[in-house]
Amino acid sequence: MTTEFVHTTVLLDEAVAGLNIQPDGIYVDCTFGRGGHSRHILSQLGANGRLIAIDRDPQAIAVGRALAQQDPRFQIVHGPFSGLAQYIEELGLTGKVDGVLMDLGVSSPQLDDAERGFSFLRDGPLDMRMDPTSGISAADWLAKADVDDIAWVLKTFGEERHARKIARAIVMDRVEREPYTRTKPLAEMIARVNPSKEKNKHPATRTFQAIRIYINSELEEIDKALMGSLDVLKPEGQLSVISFHSLEDRMVKRFIRNQEKGPEVPAGLPLTEEQLNQGRTLKSVGKAMKPSKEEIEQNPRARSSVLRVAKRLA
């Protein structure tokens, strides 16, 4: 008997509106999850519209394949979304996509399933891989990494002020007792040694976030996917991205800003406006959006989300 985990899609209407759906258009949902955004996109497509989804989580792929059997306009690709440009090239659709959606971070089913090891609130194997069939688990990494490496990950990807103290405790415990292999003992240890008391935030939040980002190479994935969107989008096509923490949002904001600004040119060069615009590939659409108070009340996990939208220039 399998357990069904409920997923509430964050910024559903706003993110899909950011794609400026055309009934006969071609769209990509880079992070299918449980299909909340995909189903909303499909509801706005006509008979000739097309939606390609991507996910590296086998459980998400199973849901996606069931949807593909029901709807011929939809197909799903199993793999990391960093491969966006490659997947679309293989389908012969490079430069023909009307919109790309990215919902970054971890889905609720992944967090709520203790066996996945993402949550510090539930005891389970310390895994944290988006795709459990590949890569190294969090437990295996923590069993081998030294204090410097662990501290660097916690500080860089979790912005954890007490990274070295936590790292030392992890290494000391594995030497004096045994390596951490489950989420609850690790979270309890962090709560003991971490002196920070952030309002509405568990002391292990930043550490678990950092390890998860590192294990899944999440920031590298985002960087490659964002660059890939430039290849796949057609002129006037739109990019809609939801991020869930400051590291992600800074990456998205910086990417859009740099593409909007174009390459640096020496000051004083006599260039025409057309020449100045040649290197610009994106233009921001509206301001960054955050969820309403009502959405946060219904889904507290939405509170840190930010939506940014940009349009592909010619």
Side-chain angles (χ1 to χ4, degrees):
M1 182 176 177
T2 58
T3 304
E4 289 295 324
F5 297 98
V6 177
H7 177 65
T8 304
T9 306
V10 174
L11 290 164
L12 175 62
D13 293 329
E14 296 87 344
V16 174
L19 296 175
N20 189 29
I21 300 289
Q22 306 300 311
D24 294 341
I26 301 170
Y27 296 89
V28 180
D29 181 354
C30 288
T31 44
F32 178 75
R34 292 302 180 269
H37 286 119
S38 282
R39 289 183 177 87
H40 198 34
I41 293 168
L42 287 168
S43 73
Q44 299 182 35
L45 290 180
N48 296 319
R50 188 171 179 184
L51 174 62
I52 300 107
I54 303 166
D55 211 295
R56 56 175 164 175
D57 187 326
Q59 294 178 5
I61 291 298
V63 176
R65 285 174 177 162
L67 178 59
Q69 289 181 339
Q70 300 167 10
D71 195 327
R73 301 171 301 169
F74 175 80
Q75 68 185 103
I76 190 162
V77 177
H78 185 194
F81 72 100
S82 58
L84 168 64
Q86 176 190 333
Y87 307 144
I88 297 305
E89 182 180 11
E90 289 171 354
L91 292 170
L93 298 174
T94 299
K96 300 177 182 178
V97 172
D98 293 273
V100 172
L101 186 146
M102 301 180 191
D103 182 1
L104 309 178
V106 187
S107 69
S108 292
Q110 289 171 328
L111 284 171
D112 293 337
D113 184 355
E115 293 302 306
R116 302 300 300 272
F118 288 105
S119 177
F120 44 78
L121 298 176
R122 297 169 178 82
D123 187 41
L126 191 56
D127 194 307
M128 295 197 192
R129 288 173 293 175
M130 299 283 191
D131 183 352
T133 66
S134 66
I136 184 172
S137 71
D140 288 342
W141 177 67
L142 288 176
K144 299 174 183 176
D146 61 26
V147 170
D148 288 342
D149 286 345
I150 296 172
W152 181 84
V153 166
L154 303 193
K155 185 175 182 181
T156 304
F157 300 133
E159 300 178 299
E160 173 55 68
R161 288 182 294 169
H162 305 285
R164 184 158 291 275
K165 187 173 185 178
I166 295 169
R168 280 200 298 262
I170 290 170
V171 172
M172 185 181 298
D173 284 352
R174 86 181 182 211
V175 170
E176 296 184 354
R177 293 199 285 269
E178 60 182 3
Y180 285 99
T181 60
R182 299 191 68 82
T183 56
K184 189 175 180 181
L186 178 61
E188 289 175 344
M189 180 277 287
I190 295 168
R192 286 197 307 272
V193 305
N194 189 347
S196 292
K197 297 291 184 271
E198 297 182 70
K199 187 178 180 182
N200 299 324
K201 186 172 284 190
H202 190 284
T205 300
R206 293 180 181 277
T207 294
F208 270 63
Q209 171 188 300
I211 295 171
R212 188 202 82 220
I213 289 173
Y214 175 75
I215 290 297
N216 293 289
S217 303
E218 289 181 32
L219 300 188
E220 293 93 333
E221 287 285 309
I222 293 168
D223 183 57
K224 291 177 182 177
L226 289 171
M227 291 304 298
S229 71
L230 299 177
D231 294 326
V232 307
L233 284 169
K234 67 194 296 186
E236 302 296 310
Q238 300 205 173
L239 173 67
S240 185
V241 186
I242 304 170
S243 57
F244 285 86
H245 56 75
S246 58
L247 291 176
E248 292 174 345
D249 186 49
R250 282 200 295 268
M251 284 186 70
V252 176
K253 181 179 180 180
R254 190 180 303 119
F255 170 76
I256 293 174
R257 183 185 62 209
N258 289 344
Q259 298 303 321
E260 196 167 28
K261 186 170 61 174
E264 295 286 342
V265 294
L269 279 183
L271 299 178
T272 65
E273 186 173 348
E274 183 179 352
Q275 288 173 317
L276 286 170
N277 288 332
Q278 278 180 350
R280 296 172 182 167
T281 54
L282 290 177
K283 178 179 176 58
S284 293
V285 177
K287 296 181 179 179
M289 295 184 64
K290 296 187 176 182
S292 64
K293 289 182 179 179
E294 292 75 18
E295 180 169 0
I296 294 172
E297 287 174 359
Q298 293 173 8
N299 181 18
R301 287 175 180 164
R303 65 180 178 273
S304 60
S305 60
V306 180
L307 170 67
R308 295 184 186 275
V309 178
K311 180 181 291 188
R312 180 72 161 94
L313 300 176

